[in-house]
Amino acid sequence: MTHVRNAAMALVALLLLVAGGWASWNSAQHVLLGKGREHGTLTVTGCTEKMCSGRYAPDDPSSTRRTLTIERSVAAKRGVTIPVVVKPGTDEGVRTGWGGGLHAWLPLGGALLLAAPLIGGGLRLPRTAWSMAGAGGAVLVAAFFAL
């Protein structure tokens, strides 16, 4: 029975980590693999509950200026200029730099924190659990200060 419980705990922890990584990669890929993509700055003109929009000024002078949207964060307020990379084929930008990279990995940081009690209590691996909780907490705190 112990093996079944351990397998179930490991499966749930793995599911949490895979889901967090998958959710993070949706934005993080544009920050980490930004070479060859359109870069510029976004001046925020307005925000809704989930998205902010504004005027986009590309780094490449031959690109056209247009309106972009970006996922809302605590740092996206009216009048703020944010460095962004444009998602290919869309009018959606992703914040770049340390703040953008850490913001993109927030779901994985949360998943690490959620999986830590399962690993510590369920699998009886306290050192691994504390390491995962520390890494997840570090991502969340670093993103808070970077934004």
Side-chain angles (χ1 to χ4, degrees), residues 41-114:
T41 57
L42 174 74
T43 304
V44 178
T45 57
C47 292
T48 64
E49 281 189 32
K50 294 187 180 197
M51 301 296 278
C52 290
S53 62
R55 294 182 310 275
Y56 171 69
D59 289 345
D60 183 11
S62 65
S63 297
T64 59
R65 290 177 173 255
R66 60 185 188 267
T67 300
L68 283 184
T69 60
I70 190 169
E71 184 179 326
R72 184 170 185 173
S73 70
V74 294
K77 296 182 178 130
R78 187 180 175 115
V80 173
T81 302
I82 301 170
V84 295
V85 62
V86 180
K87 288 184 180 181
T90 68
D91 283 332
E92 186 176 346
V94 177
R95 177 189 288 270
T96 59
W98 279 102
L102 289 167
H103 185 261
W105 288 109
L106 280 176
L108 181 61
L112 286 167
L113 281 174
L114 286 172

Side-chain angles (χ1 to χ4, degrees), residues 118-141:
L118 289 172
I119 291 171
L123 296 176
R124 309 226 190 274
L125 297 170
R127 286 187 216 142
T128 304
W130 279 108
S131 298
M132 291 178 64
V139 169
L140 297 178
V141 170

Side-chain angles (χ1 to χ4, degrees), residues 1 3 9-10 13 18 30 46 54 63 73 104 107 133 136 141 143 146:
M1 193 61 157
H3 297 299
M9 291 288 180
V18 168
H30 302 292
S63 297
S73 70
V141 170

Side-chain angles (χ1 to χ4, degrees), residues 1-21:
M1 193 61 157
T2 304
H3 297 299
V4 173
R5 181 181 57 89
N6 285 346
M9 291 288 180
L11 185 63
V12 172
L14 182 65
L15 180 66
L16 279 170
L17 294 174
V18 168

